[in-house]
Structure formats: structure tokens, C-alpha cells
Amino acid sequence: DAKTTQPPSMDCAEGRAANLPCNHSTISGNEYVYWYRQIHSQGPQYIIHGLKNNETNEMASLIITEDRKSSTLILPHATLRDTAVYYCIVNTGKLIFGQGTTLQVKP
Amino acid sequence: SAVISQKPSRDICQRGTSLTIQCQVDSQVTMMFWYRQQPGQSLTLIATANQGSEATYESGFVIDKFPISRPNLTFSTLTVSNMSPEDSSIYLCSVSAGWAMNTEAFFGQGTRLTVV
């Protein structure tokens, strides 16, 4: 079973930051949090991952709480092309997908 | 990153037949995985394809239904056997460079299977 819980859907205005929350209260000390997204039933696209420090790359930022029980993916300036299903996954050596959050970016 | 090619990209098959899906990677990878995505659903892990040994199947999936081969570090096949309409799904191959849990996985574009 997936070790994460995400809201089923969220809306965001174009140009604004999209903040996608994820709960992973049973995460173990050496397990990483990964984020992927899937657009129009294409193969999932890797976004970012982290262990306990905040991470940033060209796509997004990942904020992990100090107790590591939750995290937030931030898309700083959402565009219409960011409309997708976003999956938060705890990597246990294999990626077990939950239901994800459907992000709808609106004009 | 790894470039993954899956063949076929889509197919329509008759019930009772079998289809073999190929996954080719442009570099050697340690781990290869097969997923199924039923219409409107999330991805479900079928099995881990192990090079040189039998695949490791997740609960609910069996080798007789989904035989997997992995002859080398860049190639794997998944066969969907004795198909029924319930097998209509997207089947995706995923690869990872290592066993470490700090390793990202990459996905192919999937094979869209329709069983009639």
C-alpha cells in the first residue's frame, strides 16, 4: 500500500504558486519522498525528491517538515501546462503510487 | 536520465490471446519495473524484473498471467496472457539506476492495450 495521503484535487490560478500537500506519517528514517506528475496518461514524469532538507530544482521546490511526516511540493508560477495528476511517493526500494492530486491550473 | 522505448505503443487484441510488450533502455540499469494503469486509476506495480533471475511479483499478480523476461541490463518483456477485457489498461515500464532509495526512476510512455 502507498504510504502517502494527498487531497484528490486542487485548483490554482495561472501565474500563482501551486502548493501541493502530502502526508507520510509512517515514513522511515532512510526513505526518500519523491514527486512525479502524469499528464494526459503519458508516462509519469519525475519532478523532485528529498530526504529531510528542502530541495529546489528548475521545476519545483520540495519542503519537508522537520519530523518528516509531511511535505509540500511548490510550483512557483503555475502554467496551464502544469495541469496534471501529481503523485507523492515514499521510496521503499520501489515506487508504490497512491491516488495522487489532480491539479487544475485555471486562466 | 534514461530513454525508454516501449513497443507496441498500443494494440487491440482478441480475448484469449497473449501480447508481449517490450521495454528497451538506452543505458544499463539495475532495476526494471512493470506497472499497470487501469482506466481512470493510478499506477499499480505488477513486478520487479530481475536480471538473471525470476521476477518478483506484487500481491495479486502471478507469473502465469504476467510472465516477465529480463535477459540483460537494457531489455525486458512483459506478456499479458490469456487476455480478457479486464486486462484493458496502459502497461508501463520503469527503470532505475540502482538499489539505493535516493535513485530516481524513469518511465516509458506506456502500451495502451484494449482487449475485445
Short mmCIF file of all heavy atoms in Angstrom, two decimals, chain A residues 36 42-44 97, chain B residues 2-8 21-25 29 31-37 43-47 49 68-70 73-78 90-96 105-111:
data_model
loop_
_atom_site.label_atom_id
_atom_site.label_comp_id
_atom_site.label_asym_id
_atom_site.label_seq_id
_atom_site.Cartn_x
_atom_site.Cartn_y
_atom_site.Cartn_z
N TYR A 36 6.18 12.85 -8.60
CA TYR A 36 6.05 12.65 -10.03
C TYR A 36 4.75 13.31 -10.48
O TYR A 36 3.85 13.54 -9.66
CB TYR A 36 5.99 11.16 -10.39
CG TYR A 36 7.32 10.46 -10.35
CD1 TYR A 36 7.89 10.08 -9.15
CD2 TYR A 36 8.00 10.18 -11.52
CE1 TYR A 36 9.12 9.44 -9.12
CE2 TYR A 36 9.23 9.53 -11.52
CZ TYR A 36 9.78 9.17 -10.30
OH TYR A 36 10.99 8.53 -10.27
N GLN A 42 0.23 10.12 -20.14
CA GLN A 42 1.60 9.83 -20.54
C GLN A 42 2.30 9.12 -19.40
O GLN A 42 1.75 8.99 -18.31
CB GLN A 42 2.33 11.14 -20.87
CG GLN A 42 1.75 11.93 -22.01
CD GLN A 42 2.47 13.25 -22.19
OE1 GLN A 42 3.58 13.46 -21.67
NE2 GLN A 42 1.86 14.17 -22.90
N GLY A 43 3.52 8.67 -19.62
CA GLY A 43 4.28 8.09 -18.54
C GLY A 43 4.57 9.14 -17.48
O GLY A 43 4.76 10.31 -17.79
N PRO A 44 4.59 8.75 -16.21
CA PRO A 44 4.89 9.71 -15.15
C PRO A 44 6.25 10.39 -15.36
O PRO A 44 7.20 9.76 -15.82
CB PRO A 44 4.90 8.85 -13.89
CG PRO A 44 3.98 7.71 -14.21
CD PRO A 44 4.23 7.44 -15.67
N PHE A 97 2.46 3.83 -6.00
CA PHE A 97 1.68 5.03 -6.25
C PHE A 97 0.38 5.02 -5.46
O PHE A 97 -0.31 4.00 -5.40
CB PHE A 97 1.35 5.16 -7.74
CG PHE A 97 2.50 5.58 -8.59
CD1 PHE A 97 3.56 4.72 -8.85
CD2 PHE A 97 2.53 6.86 -9.15
CE1 PHE A 97 4.63 5.12 -9.63
CE2 PHE A 97 3.59 7.26 -9.94
CZ PHE A 97 4.64 6.40 -10.18
N ALA B 2 17.36 8.34 -18.39
CA ALA B 2 17.32 7.19 -19.28
C ALA B 2 16.20 7.38 -20.30
O ALA B 2 15.15 7.91 -19.98
CB ALA B 2 17.09 5.91 -18.49
N VAL B 3 16.47 6.94 -21.54
CA VAL B 3 15.44 6.98 -22.58
C VAL B 3 14.86 5.57 -22.71
O VAL B 3 15.60 4.62 -22.94
CB VAL B 3 16.01 7.46 -23.92
CG1 VAL B 3 14.93 7.43 -24.99
CG2 VAL B 3 16.57 8.88 -23.77
N ILE B 4 13.57 5.48 -22.56
CA ILE B 4 12.89 4.18 -22.55
C ILE B 4 11.97 4.08 -23.76
O ILE B 4 11.17 4.98 -24.01
CB ILE B 4 12.07 4.02 -21.26
CG1 ILE B 4 12.97 4.17 -20.03
CG2 ILE B 4 11.35 2.67 -21.25
CD1 ILE B 4 12.21 4.32 -18.74
N SER B 5 12.09 2.99 -24.48
CA SER B 5 11.21 2.75 -25.62
C SER B 5 10.35 1.54 -25.34
O SER B 5 10.88 0.48 -24.98
CB SER B 5 12.05 2.50 -26.89
OG SER B 5 12.84 3.62 -27.20
N GLN B 6 9.06 1.70 -25.49
CA GLN B 6 8.14 0.59 -25.31
C GLN B 6 7.49 0.27 -26.64
O GLN B 6 7.06 1.17 -27.38
CB GLN B 6 7.05 0.94 -24.29
CG GLN B 6 7.40 0.63 -22.87
CD GLN B 6 6.23 0.77 -21.93
OE1 GLN B 6 6.23 1.63 -21.06
NE2 GLN B 6 5.22 -0.08 -22.11
N LYS B 7 7.35 -1.03 -26.92
CA LYS B 7 6.67 -1.46 -28.12
C LYS B 7 5.73 -2.61 -27.79
O LYS B 7 6.10 -3.49 -27.01
CB LYS B 7 7.69 -1.95 -29.16
CG LYS B 7 8.56 -0.88 -29.73
CD LYS B 7 9.51 -1.47 -30.76
CE LYS B 7 10.40 -0.38 -31.35
NZ LYS B 7 11.34 -0.94 -32.35
N PRO B 8 4.54 -2.65 -28.36
CA PRO B 8 3.95 -1.60 -29.18
C PRO B 8 3.46 -0.44 -28.31
O PRO B 8 3.38 -0.56 -27.10
CB PRO B 8 2.77 -2.32 -29.83
CG PRO B 8 2.35 -3.32 -28.81
CD PRO B 8 3.63 -3.79 -28.15
N ILE B 21 4.91 -7.25 -24.52
CA ILE B 21 5.31 -5.84 -24.56
C ILE B 21 6.81 -5.76 -24.30
O ILE B 21 7.32 -6.40 -23.38
CB ILE B 21 4.55 -5.02 -23.49
CG1 ILE B 21 3.04 -5.15 -23.72
CG2 ILE B 21 4.98 -3.55 -23.53
CD1 ILE B 21 2.21 -4.64 -22.56
N GLN B 22 7.50 -4.98 -25.12
CA GLN B 22 8.94 -4.85 -24.98
C GLN B 22 9.31 -3.51 -24.36
O GLN B 22 8.66 -2.49 -24.64
CB GLN B 22 9.61 -4.97 -26.35
CG GLN B 22 9.39 -6.30 -27.03
CD GLN B 22 10.06 -6.34 -28.39
OE1 GLN B 22 10.71 -5.41 -28.83
NE2 GLN B 22 9.92 -7.49 -29.06
N CYS B 23 10.36 -3.53 -23.58
CA CYS B 23 10.89 -2.31 -22.97
C CYS B 23 12.40 -2.29 -23.20
O CYS B 23 13.11 -3.19 -22.74
CB CYS B 23 10.58 -2.28 -21.48
SG CYS B 23 11.25 -0.86 -20.59
N GLN B 24 12.86 -1.28 -23.91
CA GLN B 24 14.27 -1.13 -24.25
C GLN B 24 14.78 0.17 -23.66
O GLN B 24 14.17 1.23 -23.83
CB GLN B 24 14.46 -1.12 -25.76
CG GLN B 24 15.90 -0.92 -26.22
CD GLN B 24 16.74 -2.16 -26.01
OE1 GLN B 24 16.39 -3.25 -26.47
NE2 GLN B 24 17.86 -2.01 -25.32
N VAL B 25 15.91 0.11 -22.97
CA VAL B 25 16.51 1.30 -22.35
C VAL B 25 17.82 1.61 -23.05
O VAL B 25 18.53 0.69 -23.49
CB VAL B 25 16.79 1.07 -20.85
CG1 VAL B 25 17.11 2.38 -20.15
CG2 VAL B 25 15.63 0.38 -20.19
N VAL B 29 20.73 -0.48 -16.70
CA VAL B 29 20.06 -0.11 -15.47
C VAL B 29 19.98 -1.32 -14.57
O VAL B 29 19.88 -2.45 -15.03
CB VAL B 29 18.65 0.46 -15.72
CG1 VAL B 29 18.72 1.79 -16.44
CG2 VAL B 29 17.79 -0.53 -16.50
N MET B 31 17.56 -1.80 -12.09
CA MET B 31 16.21 -2.22 -11.78
C MET B 31 15.24 -1.85 -12.90
O MET B 31 15.30 -0.74 -13.44
CB MET B 31 15.74 -1.60 -10.47
CG MET B 31 16.68 -1.88 -9.30
SD MET B 31 16.07 -1.24 -7.75
CE MET B 31 14.76 -2.40 -7.41
N MET B 32 14.35 -2.77 -13.20
CA MET B 32 13.28 -2.52 -14.16
C MET B 32 11.97 -2.98 -13.53
O MET B 32 11.93 -4.03 -12.86
CB MET B 32 13.52 -3.25 -15.49
CG MET B 32 14.79 -2.78 -16.21
SD MET B 32 15.06 -3.59 -17.80
CE MET B 32 13.90 -2.69 -18.84
N PHE B 33 10.94 -2.19 -13.73
CA PHE B 33 9.65 -2.46 -13.13
C PHE B 33 8.56 -2.42 -14.20
O PHE B 33 8.67 -1.68 -15.18
CB PHE B 33 9.31 -1.40 -12.07
CG PHE B 33 10.35 -1.24 -10.99
CD1 PHE B 33 11.37 -0.31 -11.13
CD2 PHE B 33 10.28 -1.98 -9.83
CE1 PHE B 33 12.31 -0.13 -10.14
CE2 PHE B 33 11.21 -1.81 -8.83
CZ PHE B 33 12.23 -0.90 -8.98
N TRP B 34 7.50 -3.16 -13.93
CA TRP B 34 6.33 -3.11 -14.80
C TRP B 34 5.11 -2.68 -13.98
O TRP B 34 4.88 -3.21 -12.88
CB TRP B 34 6.06 -4.47 -15.45
CG TRP B 34 7.04 -4.80 -16.53
CD1 TRP B 34 8.15 -5.59 -16.44
CD2 TRP B 34 6.98 -4.34 -17.89
NE1 TRP B 34 8.79 -5.66 -17.66
CE2 TRP B 34 8.09 -4.90 -18.57
CE3 TRP B 34 6.11 -3.53 -18.61
CZ2 TRP B 34 8.34 -4.65 -19.91
CZ3 TRP B 34 6.35 -3.29 -19.94
CH2 TRP B 34 7.46 -3.85 -20.59
N TYR B 35 4.37 -1.73 -14.54
CA TYR B 35 3.17 -1.21 -13.90
C TYR B 35 1.95 -1.39 -14.82
O TYR B 35 2.09 -1.45 -16.04
CB TYR B 35 3.31 0.30 -13.61
CG TYR B 35 4.26 0.66 -12.51
CD1 TYR B 35 5.63 0.75 -12.74
CD2 TYR B 35 3.79 0.95 -11.23
CE1 TYR B 35 6.51 1.10 -11.73
CE2 TYR B 35 4.66 1.32 -10.21
CZ TYR B 35 6.02 1.39 -10.47
OH TYR B 35 6.88 1.75 -9.46
N ARG B 36 0.80 -1.39 -14.20
CA ARG B 36 -0.46 -1.37 -14.93
C ARG B 36 -1.26 -0.15 -14.47
O ARG B 36 -1.29 0.17 -13.27
CB ARG B 36 -1.27 -2.63 -14.65
CG ARG B 36 -2.62 -2.68 -15.34
CD ARG B 36 -3.32 -4.00 -15.08
NE ARG B 36 -3.83 -4.10 -13.73
CZ ARG B 36 -4.46 -5.17 -13.24
NH1 ARG B 36 -4.62 -6.24 -14.01
NH2 ARG B 36 -4.90 -5.18 -12.01
N GLN B 37 -1.91 0.51 -15.41
CA GLN B 37 -2.78 1.63 -15.07
C GLN B 37 -4.12 1.39 -15.75
O GLN B 37 -4.27 1.56 -16.96
CB GLN B 37 -2.17 2.96 -15.52
CG GLN B 37 -2.97 4.15 -15.02
CD GLN B 37 -2.25 5.47 -15.23
OE1 GLN B 37 -1.45 5.62 -16.14
NE2 GLN B 37 -2.53 6.44 -14.37
N LEU B 43 -1.33 4.16 -10.93
CA LEU B 43 -0.46 3.07 -11.37
C LEU B 43 -0.37 2.01 -10.28
O LEU B 43 -0.26 2.32 -9.09
CB LEU B 43 0.95 3.59 -11.65
CG LEU B 43 1.19 4.35 -12.95
CD1 LEU B 43 0.63 5.75 -12.86
CD2 LEU B 43 2.66 4.38 -13.30
N THR B 44 -0.38 0.76 -10.71
CA THR B 44 -0.22 -0.38 -9.81
C THR B 44 1.02 -1.17 -10.23
O THR B 44 1.14 -1.55 -11.40
CB THR B 44 -1.44 -1.30 -9.86
OG1 THR B 44 -2.61 -0.56 -9.48
CG2 THR B 44 -1.27 -2.49 -8.90
N LEU B 45 1.91 -1.41 -9.29
CA LEU B 45 3.12 -2.16 -9.59
C LEU B 45 2.78 -3.63 -9.78
O LEU B 45 2.16 -4.25 -8.91
CB LEU B 45 4.14 -2.00 -8.46
CG LEU B 45 5.47 -2.72 -8.61
CD1 LEU B 45 6.22 -2.20 -9.83
CD2 LEU B 45 6.32 -2.56 -7.35
N ILE B 46 3.19 -4.18 -10.93
CA ILE B 46 2.97 -5.60 -11.21
C ILE B 46 4.13 -6.42 -10.65
O ILE B 46 3.94 -7.38 -9.90
CB ILE B 46 2.86 -5.86 -12.73
CG1 ILE B 46 1.64 -5.14 -13.31
CG2 ILE B 46 2.80 -7.36 -13.01
CD1 ILE B 46 1.56 -5.18 -14.83
N ALA B 47 5.35 -6.03 -11.04
CA ALA B 47 6.51 -6.84 -10.66
C ALA B 47 7.79 -6.07 -10.89
O ALA B 47 7.82 -5.10 -11.65
CB ALA B 47 6.53 -8.14 -11.44
N ALA B 49 11.41 -6.68 -12.47
CA ALA B 49 12.10 -7.60 -13.40
C ALA B 49 13.55 -7.69 -13.00
O ALA B 49 14.28 -6.70 -13.02
CB ALA B 49 11.97 -7.09 -14.82
N ILE B 68 7.43 -12.48 -17.20
CA ILE B 68 8.37 -11.39 -17.45
C ILE B 68 9.73 -11.99 -17.75
O ILE B 68 10.16 -12.94 -17.11
CB ILE B 68 8.46 -10.47 -16.22
CG1 ILE B 68 7.17 -9.65 -16.06
CG2 ILE B 68 9.67 -9.54 -16.31
CD1 ILE B 68 7.09 -8.88 -14.75
N SER B 69 10.40 -11.42 -18.74
CA SER B 69 11.77 -11.80 -19.01
C SER B 69 12.67 -10.59 -18.87
O SER B 69 12.24 -9.45 -19.06
CB SER B 69 11.92 -12.38 -20.42
OG SER B 69 11.91 -11.34 -21.39
N ARG B 70 13.92 -10.85 -18.50
CA ARG B 70 14.93 -9.78 -18.44
C ARG B 70 16.27 -10.40 -18.79
O ARG B 70 17.05 -10.72 -17.90
CB ARG B 70 14.96 -9.14 -17.06
CG ARG B 70 16.02 -8.06 -17.02
CD ARG B 70 15.66 -6.85 -16.27
NE ARG B 70 16.72 -5.87 -16.41
CZ ARG B 70 17.22 -5.18 -15.40
NH1 ARG B 70 16.76 -5.34 -14.19
NH2 ARG B 70 18.17 -4.31 -15.62
N LEU B 73 20.73 -6.08 -19.08
CA LEU B 73 20.52 -4.88 -18.26
C LEU B 73 19.83 -3.75 -19.02
O LEU B 73 19.65 -2.66 -18.47
CB LEU B 73 21.87 -4.39 -17.71
CG LEU B 73 22.53 -5.31 -16.70
CD1 LEU B 73 23.89 -4.76 -16.30
CD2 LEU B 73 21.66 -5.48 -15.46
N THR B 74 19.45 -3.97 -20.28
CA THR B 74 18.80 -2.90 -21.04
C THR B 74 17.45 -3.31 -21.62
O THR B 74 16.82 -2.53 -22.32
CB THR B 74 19.69 -2.45 -22.21
OG1 THR B 74 19.87 -3.55 -23.12
CG2 THR B 74 21.04 -1.96 -21.72
N PHE B 75 16.98 -4.52 -21.36
CA PHE B 75 15.80 -5.01 -22.06
C PHE B 75 14.95 -5.90 -21.14
O PHE B 75 15.48 -6.69 -20.36
CB PHE B 75 16.23 -5.80 -23.29
CG PHE B 75 15.10 -6.24 -24.18
CD1 PHE B 75 14.48 -5.36 -25.03
CD2 PHE B 75 14.67 -7.57 -24.15
CE1 PHE B 75 13.44 -5.76 -25.86
CE2 PHE B 75 13.62 -7.99 -24.96
CZ PHE B 75 13.01 -7.08 -25.82
N SER B 76 13.63 -5.75 -21.29
CA SER B 76 12.70 -6.61 -20.56
C SER B 76 11.42 -6.75 -21.38
O SER B 76 11.10 -5.90 -22.20
CB SER B 76 12.37 -6.02 -19.19
OG SER B 76 11.43 -6.82 -18.49
N THR B 77 10.73 -7.85 -21.16
CA THR B 77 9.42 -8.03 -21.77
C THR B 77 8.40 -8.42 -20.72
O THR B 77 8.74 -9.09 -19.73
CB THR B 77 9.42 -9.11 -22.86
OG1 THR B 77 9.70 -10.38 -22.27
CG2 THR B 77 10.44 -8.82 -23.95
N LEU B 78 7.19 -7.98 -20.93
CA LEU B 78 6.03 -8.38 -20.13
C LEU B 78 5.02 -8.99 -21.07
O LEU B 78 4.67 -8.38 -22.09
CB LEU B 78 5.42 -7.16 -19.42
CG LEU B 78 4.06 -7.37 -18.78
CD1 LEU B 78 4.21 -8.18 -17.49
CD2 LEU B 78 3.37 -6.05 -18.49
N ILE B 90 -3.24 0.57 -19.53
CA ILE B 90 -1.94 1.02 -20.00
C ILE B 90 -0.88 0.29 -19.19
O ILE B 90 -0.97 0.25 -17.96
CB ILE B 90 -1.78 2.54 -19.85
CG1 ILE B 90 -2.83 3.28 -20.67
CG2 ILE B 90 -0.37 2.97 -20.28
CD1 ILE B 90 -2.84 4.78 -20.45
N TYR B 91 0.07 -0.30 -19.87
CA TYR B 91 1.16 -1.02 -19.20
C TYR B 91 2.43 -0.19 -19.38
O TYR B 91 2.79 0.18 -20.49
CB TYR B 91 1.32 -2.42 -19.77
CG TYR B 91 0.15 -3.30 -19.42
CD1 TYR B 91 -1.00 -3.30 -20.22
CD2 TYR B 91 0.15 -4.08 -18.27
CE1 TYR B 91 -2.10 -4.08 -19.89
CE2 TYR B 91 -0.95 -4.86 -17.94
CZ TYR B 91 -2.07 -4.85 -18.75
OH TYR B 91 -3.17 -5.61 -18.41
N LEU B 92 3.10 0.08 -18.26
CA LEU B 92 4.27 0.97 -18.28
C LEU B 92 5.50 0.28 -17.73
O LEU B 92 5.43 -0.45 -16.73
CB LEU B 92 3.99 2.22 -17.43
CG LEU B 92 2.87 3.13 -17.93
CD1 LEU B 92 1.75 3.20 -16.90
CD2 LEU B 92 3.39 4.53 -18.22
N CYS B 93 6.59 0.55 -18.38
CA CYS B 93 7.90 0.08 -17.94
C CYS B 93 8.60 1.23 -17.22
O CYS B 93 8.50 2.39 -17.64
CB CYS B 93 8.70 -0.35 -19.16
SG CYS B 93 10.43 -0.73 -18.86
N SER B 94 9.29 0.91 -16.16
CA SER B 94 10.04 1.91 -15.40
C SER B 94 11.43 1.36 -15.10
O SER B 94 11.59 0.16 -14.90
CB SER B 94 9.31 2.23 -14.10
OG SER B 94 10.07 3.07 -13.27
N VAL B 95 12.41 2.25 -15.09
CA VAL B 95 13.78 1.81 -14.82
C VAL B 95 14.41 2.70 -13.78
O VAL B 95 14.07 3.87 -13.62
CB VAL B 95 14.64 1.82 -16.10
CG1 VAL B 95 13.99 0.97 -17.18
CG2 VAL B 95 14.90 3.22 -16.60
N SER B 96 15.37 2.12 -13.06
CA SER B 96 16.11 2.86 -12.05
C SER B 96 17.56 2.43 -12.10
O SER B 96 17.86 1.26 -12.35
CB SER B 96 15.52 2.60 -10.67
OG SER B 96 16.26 3.24 -9.67
N ALA B 105 13.54 7.09 -10.67
CA ALA B 105 13.08 6.14 -11.66
C ALA B 105 12.48 6.90 -12.85
O ALA B 105 11.91 7.98 -12.68
CB ALA B 105 12.04 5.21 -11.05
N PHE B 106 12.64 6.32 -14.02
CA PHE B 106 12.11 6.92 -15.24
C PHE B 106 11.10 5.96 -15.86
O PHE B 106 11.21 4.74 -15.72
CB PHE B 106 13.25 7.21 -16.23
CG PHE B 106 14.28 8.14 -15.67
CD1 PHE B 106 15.44 7.66 -15.11
CD2 PHE B 106 14.07 9.51 -15.70
CE1 PHE B 106 16.39 8.52 -14.56
CE2 PHE B 106 15.01 10.39 -15.18
CZ PHE B 106 16.17 9.88 -14.60
N PHE B 107 10.14 6.55 -16.55
CA PHE B 107 9.04 5.77 -17.10
C PHE B 107 8.98 5.88 -18.62
O PHE B 107 9.26 6.95 -19.17
CB PHE B 107 7.71 6.26 -16.52
CG PHE B 107 7.51 5.88 -15.08
CD1 PHE B 107 8.12 6.61 -14.07
CD2 PHE B 107 6.73 4.79 -14.73
CE1 PHE B 107 7.94 6.25 -12.74
CE2 PHE B 107 6.54 4.44 -13.41
CZ PHE B 107 7.16 5.16 -12.42
N GLY B 108 8.59 4.76 -19.23
CA GLY B 108 8.28 4.80 -20.64
C GLY B 108 6.91 5.45 -20.86
O GLY B 108 6.22 5.80 -19.90
N GLN B 109 6.54 5.59 -22.12
CA GLN B 109 5.26 6.22 -22.45
C GLN B 109 4.10 5.25 -22.38
O GLN B 109 2.94 5.66 -22.52
CB GLN B 109 5.34 6.87 -23.83
CG GLN B 109 6.24 8.08 -23.84
CD GLN B 109 5.85 9.10 -22.78
OE1 GLN B 109 4.73 9.61 -22.77
NE2 GLN B 109 6.76 9.38 -21.84
N GLY B 110 4.39 3.98 -22.17
CA GLY B 110 3.31 3.03 -21.95
C GLY B 110 2.81 2.35 -23.21
O GLY B 110 3.02 2.82 -24.33
N THR B 111 2.15 1.23 -22.99
CA THR B 111 1.48 0.48 -24.05
C THR B 111 0.00 0.45 -23.71
O THR B 111 -0.40 -0.08 -22.67
CB THR B 111 2.02 -0.96 -24.14
OG1 THR B 111 3.39 -0.93 -24.51
CG2 THR B 111 1.21 -1.78 -25.14
#
